[in-house]
């Protein structure tokens, strides 16, 4: 037996299914150099995760069990797995969803990390545990591609980075073209990748592009996680054939796969079959089936071996009986395999450890990728191209700098030499030194949190280094941002304000702005290198800039900063920037020791002691700067730029970014047991709906930047019926328009200015054209994406909340929970019911389990029509069969199910009712009863072999083989003839095809499903959001630490506030700094709202609940955090900093903090709703508007133009300063410092005089506070109105498209 397992039994029944695979008859020769052979050995690999409570739960347990010993609870994910993957082999890791396939692949590729993980056992690569010395590549489940690049451009840039230096440009281009042909990407080679907003390649095309990128690394070891997910059967076969070709050339290829067709089975060399984390087989493919036959499990005739094995190793938890039977079987299989492995373990280990290590010529990472010069060139070119193709991102930066420069220049326009003009000059200089840099800092921080993902991937793969990434990023933006933005700002602002028009002084001003720009972008890189999420990175950036602004010497003068933090001014780059600009203006290049002399009204002129306040020397001294303070600060600024650059580079170089694993939520009760039956209505009670398409087609009209339009046909005219009671299946290769058809039917295609969808023909429900409301009410749509799931909730919690939000209100809470539990059990989710869903950064349930949860949510509502886009994609063969069984049951109850499917099991085809077969380009090839499909093709001369899966046969028949020129021509001609063959066949009209019974059914408007009322949905949304929020550290950080951190820094720099004339500016600066809370509210919104909005948009499209419920839930959950942090803010600023310690002022400060933060949140709601497709652009616009508000508040500029003052009434900053200044300054007297009597003679000495000087003495502070409260309500009301308007605009667009469609038909 042992010998047989190593050498392989004689060929099993499935081995002769494939006689002539493309891997064997391939005419293409991939132009990849030979690789070093690598043997991979896995010995007793185990992975355990600590599931003991953490965070708040752990803290509460400490108080509950003070005397209990602290023990950790571990959950086993992989248990004692051993395997051998020799060089030149293609190894498949099979198993059901949640069996540990992806975890095993992550462990083999060293891509899983976390303090709660325990990884035991040995993983050896040529006898060495270090994978870093081996050229390897990993194809993840998630595609990380740049959406604005085409497929060819993506592969060309990847080739430039991945192929080693000896290759020439011609060779790299040839390899790319070979891979495009080999992976069947020829027809989409010049199509942009696209994303959720801007459609481009299909899911399958993206999947193959990701594989192509990794193939270009020419790895010795290639890991692929569910590489055929999202591919049709023909494309999956071609792809695995290509992998087999690569393996035959000496590579070690390890792939997890869910549903391999029978022909793919014959391409595998070795198998690892997992169940519940344990191996039930690991060895050669040829020995697999004889082994299972020897223990009593023989392969039936005409059954796909892979499907047979996955079914054999799966635990069926749809009922207690099935679960018990399958668990007993799987445990017996695991015991049998352990007995086999124990008997041969010592000999195998001795053999693998004693074999000589294969010498590898690639040592370390230095020679694994292009030289730094080429990296910089390629990354710069790629960044330039993606930046140019992002017009909103480019225009956002230009709009921001032009708006800020013009409006701030207008605020400070043509300043005179009066005392008020001198104060305004200080504000103008500080604004130049801080505001523009801060806006760049926030925008670059957000942009980097998006862009850093691709760098992390490429850096982990060793194809680029840190310095190349940092240098190329700045080179690509050198002209369009790094020089242009500071130059535009300097030219506009400098001359509008009226600074001295000397060339040397202007260029000093520009040089300082340029350095501050580079410091901002490098500081943003430093923040993102510390933490990748925007909530954490923006917190670091905001706190860092707060220190910078307070140490700058404007809001609090340098000599007024408390001794214990005074040293921090030397760590603030704004201190040097503001100081250099102030010296450049007030001292300049004059030889007068007093510096510039402004317009003193005293009759003695500059010689009068009273005029000392009008000299540049006095201004510099009052600001705490030396008089000769230009070139030294510039040198310091250069040092800051370099320090931030080196700091970011060091952290990026040494901080490892890995994937953690989420913790399961512990539960004591299994609430799903015994609730297996779905409550079904009788067929008499259920309305049966026939969906008919009559010449239904779709075109896309696109406008380019020159407003020129082009039209592309997505779906050719389709005429077909989708009947209730059966499975209606849409099949076709990638790019055939299957998903587009479902989106069109579900009214999910929403046009924009650049893209217009033109639908023609009719869709009818029971021979009646339905309205958009009817479609929305009667249809449930299961999308390919699982973005409607909340990552920090468990599977059970997601389903329970979905049931509460979607099921009719006449059901009780218990009935809704029972419905959720029964659906959970039917879809085989019992084992993962209490696991967190997880996301890209924290691994939770598997991809297949997420797919099932998404389907479960949609079938909760018992829809009349259920549209499913690839419901079995990402599922193993057993789970796919289980899902199809459930869907069949739903259809048999009278529902109309329409689904797209890529890879159908051989035993499922007989259950297909109606089939719509689409060729690439959206042309129908067949539409009718499933039983009529094979006779139709047979009549055209294409007969399906007896032992072939009919679904695979059909997809092979209509797929154009793009790998070889001769095959392409012949298959393209064949597909064209099939299209013509179907077009020439007479088709009955859909209305005449309806049965007599169905024709007399009433239109389906009688069964509209109403959204859950707001009052019912609101408590559920609040509970759900609170749970998700509590378990999400980035969201908690965003909500709680920004205000608290800001208050602490503010108090450190200002406490205690003094009472001399020099402290007047510090006191005004103190309340002026409160206005930075405006930005805090906006940043909190950007960190939290986009994710919440994505879930709401999906649920709103499903008609789950009204928008008002979502809006109120977001607001109600937000307000308590704002109240709590506002009270903390008031404690620190009033009690610690030294403001008058009265109860009135305490609550006034707390109210101002709450109002400003809340208004910032509302601004975030407004612009993130207006620009949902481009959060970066929204951040730019918001930062611009929020940055202008403090300038018009009345402290930094004393002569704001009347027009802007009128607009200022819309700003909460105006009302905040209007009430804070009187409440904090009235009644105060300011003493004159010793020796400053002459100067003090003309200065304000009381709080009232200060209010008069700054024109803040108008009006009642109580009314000003009331105006601030009105701002809070108005801002939030505007946010609600825009959300409603945005949703109605989508409806208006759909209505407009329908009217246009009708006009086209009439014409």
């Amino acid at each position: 037996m042992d010998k047989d397992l190593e050498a392989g039994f004689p060929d099993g029944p499935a081995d002769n299914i494939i006689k002539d695979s493309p891997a064997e008859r391939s005419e293409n020769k991939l132009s990849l150099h030979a690789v070093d052979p690598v043997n991979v050995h896995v010995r007793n690999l185990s992975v355990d995760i600590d599931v003991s409570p953490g965070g708040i739960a752990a803290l509460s347990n400490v108080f509950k069990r003070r005397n209990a010993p602290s023990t950790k609870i571990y959950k086993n994910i992989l248990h004692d797995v051993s395997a051998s993957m020799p060089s030149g082999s293609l190894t498949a890791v099979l198993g059901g969803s949640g069996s540990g396939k992806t975890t095993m692949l992550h462990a083999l590729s060293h891509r899983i990390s976390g303090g709660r993980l325990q990884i035991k056992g040995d993983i050896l690569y040529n006898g060495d545990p270090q994978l870093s010395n081996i050229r390897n590549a990993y194809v993840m489940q998630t595609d990380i591609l740049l959406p604005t690049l085409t497929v060819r451009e993506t592969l060309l840039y990847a080739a430039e980075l991945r192929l080693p230096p000896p290759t020439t440009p011609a060779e790299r281009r040839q390899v790319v073209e070979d891979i495009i042909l080999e992976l069947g990407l020829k027809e989409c080679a010049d199509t942009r990748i696209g994303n959720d907003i801007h459609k481009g390649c299909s899911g399958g095309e993206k999947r193959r592009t990701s594989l192509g990128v990794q193939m270009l690394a020419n790895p010795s070891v290639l890991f692929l996680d569910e590489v055929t997910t999202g591919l049709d059967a023909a494309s999956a076969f071609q792809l695995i054939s290509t992998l087999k070709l690569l393996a035959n050339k000496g590579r070690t290829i390890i792939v997890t796969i869910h549903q391999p067709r029978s022909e793919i089975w014959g391409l595998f060399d070795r198998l690892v079959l997992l169940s519940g984390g344990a191996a039930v087989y690991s060895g050669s493919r040829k020995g697999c089936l004889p082994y299972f036959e020897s223990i009593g499990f023989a392969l039936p005739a005409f059954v796909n071996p892979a499907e047979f094995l996955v079914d054999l190793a799966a635990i069926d938890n749809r009922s207690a009986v099935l679960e018990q039977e399958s668990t007993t079987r799987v445990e017996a299989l695991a015991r049998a395999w352990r007995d086999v492995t124990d008997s041969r373990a010592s000999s195998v280990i001795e053999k693998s450890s004693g074999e000589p290590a294969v010498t590898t010529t690639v040592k370390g990472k230095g020679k694994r990728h292009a030289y730094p010069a080429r990296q910089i060139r390629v990354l710069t070119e790629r960044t330039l191209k993606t930046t140019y193709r992002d017009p909103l991102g480019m225009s956002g930066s230009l709009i921001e700098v032009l708006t800020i420069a013009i409006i701030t220049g207008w605020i400070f326009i043509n300043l005179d030499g009066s005392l008020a003009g001198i104060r305004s000059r200080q504000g103008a200089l500080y604004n130049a030194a801080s505001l523009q840099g801060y806006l760049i800092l926030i925008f670059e921080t957000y942009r980097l949190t998006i862009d850093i993902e691709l760098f992390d991937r490429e850096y982990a793969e060793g194809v680029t280094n840190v310095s190349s990434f940092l240098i190329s990023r700045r080179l690509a933006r050198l002209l369009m941002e790094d020089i242009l933005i500071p130059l535009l700002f300097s030219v506009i602002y400098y001359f509008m304000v009226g600074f001295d028009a000397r060339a040397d002084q202007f260029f000093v001003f520009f040089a300082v702005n340029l350095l501050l720009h580079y410091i901002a972008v490098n500081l943003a890189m430093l923040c993102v290198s510390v933490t990748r999420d925007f909530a954490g990175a923006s917190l670091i950036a905001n706190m860092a800039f707060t220190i910078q602004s307070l140490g700058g010497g404007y809001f609090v003068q340098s000599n007024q900063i408390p001794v214990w933090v005074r040293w921090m001014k030397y760590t603030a780059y704004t201190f040097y920037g503001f100081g250099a600009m102030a010296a450049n203006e007030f001292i300049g290049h004059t030889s007068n020791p007093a510096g510039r002399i402004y317009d003193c009204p005293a009759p003695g002129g500059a010689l009068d002691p009273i005029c000392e306040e009008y000299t540049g020397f006095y201004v510099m001294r009052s600001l705490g700067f030396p008089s000769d303070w230009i070139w030294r600060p510039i040198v310091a600024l250069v040092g800051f730029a370099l320090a931030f650059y080196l700091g970011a580079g060091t952290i990026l170089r040494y901080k490892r970014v890995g994937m953690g694993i989420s913790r399961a939520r512990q539960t004591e009760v299994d609430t799903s047991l015994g609730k297996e039956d779905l409550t079904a209505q009788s067929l008499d009670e259920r309305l049966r709906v026939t969906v008919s398409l009559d010449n239904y087609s779709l075109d896309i009209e696109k406008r380019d930047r020159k407003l020129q339009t082009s039209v592309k046909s997505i779906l050719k005219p389709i005429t077909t019926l989708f009947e209730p009671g059966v499975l209606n299946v849409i099949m076709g290769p990638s790019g055939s328009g299957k998903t587009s058809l479902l989106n069109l039917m579900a009214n999910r295609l929403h046009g924009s200015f650049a893209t217009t969808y033109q639908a023609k023909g009719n869709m009818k429900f029971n021979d009646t054209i339905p309205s958009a409301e009817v479609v929305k009410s009667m249809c449930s749509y299961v999308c390919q994406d699982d973005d409607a799931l909340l990552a920090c909730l468990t599977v059970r919690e997601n389903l329970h909340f979905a049931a509460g939000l979607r099921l009719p209100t006449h059901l009780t809470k218990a009935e809704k929970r029972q419905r959720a539990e029964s659906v959970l059990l039917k879809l085989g989710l019992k084992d993962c019911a209490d696991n967190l869903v997880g996301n890209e950064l924290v691994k939770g349930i598997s991809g297949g389990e997420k797919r099932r949860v998404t389907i479960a949510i949609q079938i909760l509502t018992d829809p009349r029509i259920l549209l499913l886009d690839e419901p079995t994609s990402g599922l193993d063969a057993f789970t796919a069969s289980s899902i199809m069984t459930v869907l069949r049951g739903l259809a048999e109850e009278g529902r109309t199910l329409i689904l797209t499917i890529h890879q159908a099991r051989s035993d499922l085809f007989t259950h297909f009712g109606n089939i719509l077969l689409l060729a690439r380009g959206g042309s129908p090839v067949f539409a009718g009863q499933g039983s009529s499909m094979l006779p139709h093709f047979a009549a055209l001369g294409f007969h399906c072999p007896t032992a072939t899966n009919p679904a695979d046969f059909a997809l092979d028949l209509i797929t154009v083989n793009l790998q070889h020129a001769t095959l392409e021509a012949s298959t393209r001609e064949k597909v064209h003839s099939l299209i013509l063959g179907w077009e020439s066949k007479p088709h009955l009209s859909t209305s005449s095809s309806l049965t007599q019974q169905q024709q007399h059914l009433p239109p389906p408007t009688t069964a509209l499903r109403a959204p859950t009322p707001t009052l019912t949905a609101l408590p559920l949304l609040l509970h759900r959001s609170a749970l998700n929020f509590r378990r999400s550290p980035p969201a908690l950080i965003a909500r709680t630490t920004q205000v608290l951190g800001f208050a602490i820094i503010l108090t450190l720099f200002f406490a205690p506030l003094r009472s001399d004339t020099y402290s007047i500016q510090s006191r005004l600066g103190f309340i002026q700094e409160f206005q930075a809370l405006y930005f805090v509210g906006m940043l909190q919104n950007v960190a939290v709202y986009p994710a919440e909005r994505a879930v709401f948009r999906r649920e709103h499209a499903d008609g789950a609940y009204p928008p008002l419920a979502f809006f109120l839930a977001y607001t109600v959950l937000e307000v308590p955090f704002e109240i709590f942090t506002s009270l903390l803010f008031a404690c620190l600023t009033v009690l610690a900093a030294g403001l008058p310690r009265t109860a009135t002022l305490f609550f006034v400060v707390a109210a101002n903090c709450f109002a400003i933060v809340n208004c910032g949140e509302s601004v975030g709601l407004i612009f993130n709703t207006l620009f949902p497709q481009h959060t970066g652009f929204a951040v730019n616009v918001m930062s611009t508007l929020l940055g202008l508000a403090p300038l018009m508040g009345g402290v930094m500029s004393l002569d704001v133009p009347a027009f802007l003052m009128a607009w200022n009434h819309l700003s909460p900053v105006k009302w905040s300063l209007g009430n804070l200044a009187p409440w904090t300054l009235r009644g105060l007297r300011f003493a004159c410092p010793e020796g400053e009597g002459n100067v003090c003679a003309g200065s304000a000495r009381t709080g009232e005089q200060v209010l008069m000087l700054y024109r803040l003495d108008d009006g009642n502070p109580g009314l000003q506070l009331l105006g601030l409260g009105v701002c809070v309500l108005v801002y939030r009301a505007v946010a609600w109105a825009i959300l409603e308007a945005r949703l109605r605009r989508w409806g208006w667009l759909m209505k407009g498209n329908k009217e246009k469609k009708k006009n086209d038909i009439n014409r």
Side-chain angles (χ1 to χ4, degrees), residues 1000-1020:
H1000 292 300
L1001 282 174
T1005 53
T1006 58
L1008 292 182
R1009 185 177 72 239
T1012 300
T1014 297
L1015 292 180
T1016 304
L1018 181 58
L1020 290 168

Side-chain angles (χ1 to χ4, degrees), residues 401-477:
V401 69
L402 292 174
T403 304
I404 286 292
I406 293 172
I407 296 182
T408 56
W410 191 8
I411 291 172
F412 295 104
I413 194 164
N414 292 328
L415 296 176
D416 56 24
S418 65
L419 194 59
I422 293 173
R423 296 285 174 86
S424 294
R425 283 177 187 269
Q426 297 176 34
L429 291 169
Y430 179 78
N431 170 68
S434 61
L435 178 59
Q436 179 61 24
Y438 178 66
L439 301 184
I440 292 295
L441 171 65
I442 295 301
F443 176 59
E444 183 69 8
T445 299
Y446 174 79
R447 189 163 58 179
L448 274 168
T449 57
I450 305 299
D451 297 345
I452 200 72
E453 187 178 21
L454 182 59
F455 162 75
D456 286 334
R457 178 70 192 271
E458 292 179 336
Y459 180 66
E461 293 167 354
V463 299
T464 187
N465 56 47
V466 173
S467 59
S468 298
F469 169 68
L470 295 178
I471 293 172
S472 66
R473 189 172 179 83
R474 299 277 47 95
L475 283 178
R477 295 182 167 92

Side-chain angles (χ1 to χ4, degrees), residues 681 804 806-816 861 1012-1013 1016:
Q681 295 173 283
R806 293 165 183 262
L807 291 178
T809 55
H810 64 79
L811 296 178
T812 66
K813 183 177 179 181
E815 288 173 332
K816 291 180 180 180
T861 55
T1012 300
T1016 304

Side-chain angles (χ1 to χ4, degrees), residues 693-694 719-721 985-994:
L693 304 181
D694 190 3
T719 299
T720 189
L721 283 176
K985 187 174 181 179
H987 307 294
L988 293 175
S989 68
T990 54
S991 58
S992 64
S993 300
L994 291 174

Side-chain angles (χ1 to χ4, degrees), residues 1213-1294:
V1213 171
K1214 185 265 181 192
W1215 304 102
S1216 176
L1217 285 172
N1219 75 80
L1220 280 174
W1223 259 312
T1224 58
L1225 290 173
R1226 281 178 181 171
L1228 294 181
R1229 297 190 64 83
F1230 300 101
C1232 187
E1234 294 183 11
E1236 301 287 345
N1238 292 331
V1239 177
C1240 289
S1243 299
R1245 300 291 296 275
T1246 66
E1248 286 74 10
Q1249 291 174 341
V1250 173
L1251 292 174
M1252 290 180 62
L1253 174 64
Y1254 284 89
R1255 301 166 191 167
L1256 295 171
D1257 58 338
D1258 298 333
N1260 186 332
L1263 292 178
Q1264 298 283 333
L1265 184 60
L1266 180 62
L1268 183 61
V1270 171
C1271 268
V1272 171
L1273 297 177
V1274 170
Y1275 273 47
R1276 194 51 59 105
V1278 170
W1280 159 242
I1282 287 180
L1283 178 63
E1284 277 285 347
R1286 182 74 178 170
L1287 296 174
R1288 290 177 184 274
R1289 177 173 176 268
W1290 291 336
W1292 176 79
L1293 280 176
M1294 290 191 297

Side-chain angles (χ1 to χ4, degrees), residues 451-776:
D451 297 345
I452 200 72
E453 187 178 21
L454 182 59
F455 162 75
D456 286 334
R457 178 70 192 271
E458 292 179 336
Y459 180 66
E461 293 167 354
V463 299
T464 187
N465 56 47
V466 173
S467 59
S468 298
F469 169 68
L470 295 178
I471 293 172
S472 66
R473 189 172 179 83
R474 299 277 47 95
L475 283 178
R477 295 182 167 92
L478 179 65
L479 297 178
M480 67 180 67
E481 285 187 13
D482 293 350
I483 292 179
L484 181 62
I485 288 178
L487 182 61
L488 284 175
F489 178 80
S490 299
V491 170
I492 296 171
Y493 186 76
Y494 188 90
F495 295 105
M496 284 188 71
V497 173
F499 292 132
D500 196 359
R502 291 170 51 106
D504 50 357
Q505 287 192 205
F506 168 77
F507 281 109
V508 169
F509 182 85
F510 167 67
V512 173
N513 267 301
L514 181 64
L515 288 172
L516 289 171
H517 176 92
Y518 273 108
I519 288 172
V521 295
N522 287 340
L523 176 58
M525 181 65 73
L526 180 64
C527 297
V528 175
S529 67
V530 174
T531 177
R532 297 298 194 265
D533 63 274
F534 180 73
S538 66
L539 170 65
I540 298 171
N542 214 24
M543 295 303 101
F545 185 79
T546 301
I547 295 174
Q548 302 298 317
S549 64
L550 295 178
Y554 176 74
F555 289 115
V556 53
Q557 297 172 18
S558 299
N559 52 13
Q560 296 273 314
I561 300 175
V563 175
W564 55 83
V565 291
R566 190 171 296 174
W567 59 271
M568 293 183 70
K569 69 180 182 182
Y570 297 110
T571 66
Y573 60 81
T574 51
F575 171 74
Y576 299 97
F578 178 45
M581 287 184 174
N584 187 50
E585 168 62 21
F586 295 117
I587 302 298
H589 301 269
T590 179
S591 58
N592 190 335
R596 288 193 61 183
I597 300 175
Y598 294 92
D599 304 334
C600 179
L607 299 177
D608 194 315
I610 297 178
C611 292
E612 186 178 357
E613 275 191 291
Y614 292 83
T615 64
F617 179 79
Y618 175 83
V619 174
M620 291 294 290
R621 185 179 61 180
S622 67
L623 292 173
F625 294 122
S627 58
D628 54 340
W629 194 242
I630 296 180
W631 299 111
R632 283 183 292 170
I634 289 178
V635 173
L637 291 175
V638 173
F640 271 99
L642 292 175
F644 289 149
Y645 173 86
L646 294 174
T650 301
I651 296 174
L652 289 173
R653 170 69 177 82
Y654 293 105
K655 184 180 178 182
R656 179 182 174 87
V657 177
M659 173 178 281
I661 295 184
S662 66
R663 179 185 284 108
R665 316 303 302 179
Q666 298 300 314
T667 181
E668 302 296 333
V669 181
D670 181 8
T671 56
S672 65
L673 190 61
K675 300 173 183 176
E676 295 85 359
D677 294 328
L678 293 173
T679 303
Q681 295 173 283
S682 68
L683 294 182
D684 294 333
E685 297 173 346
R686 181 176 303 282
L687 176 64
R688 298 166 66 88
V689 180
T690 296
V691 180
S692 58
L693 304 181
D694 190 3
N695 289 318
Y696 207 46
S697 64
L698 175 66
D699 296 335
I700 292 183
E701 181 182 281
K702 289 193 174 184
R703 295 179 181 86
D704 58 20
R705 295 178 182 177
K706 299 179 181 179
L707 300 182
Q708 296 179 345
T709 60
S710 60
V711 178
K712 179 180 180 181
S713 176
I714 303 300
L715 292 168
K716 303 298 191 295
I718 298 171
T719 299
T720 189
L721 283 176
F722 299 121
E723 297 175 313
V726 296
L727 292 179
N728 301 278
V729 178
I730 304 172
M731 294 195 301
S734 296
S736 60
K738 303 185 299 297
T739 300
S740 297
L741 177 58
L742 287 187
N743 284 330
L744 182 61
M745 294 174 66
N747 277 337
R748 299 293 179 95
L749 294 176
H750 307 300
S752 63
F753 175 77
T755 303
T756 303
Y757 295 98
Q758 300 176 350
K760 301 177 183 178
N762 289 314
M763 177 178 70
K764 298 178 181 179
F765 291 177
N766 289 350
D767 213 19
T768 301
I769 298 177
S771 66
E773 290 75 17
V774 171
V775 173
K776 185 176 182 179

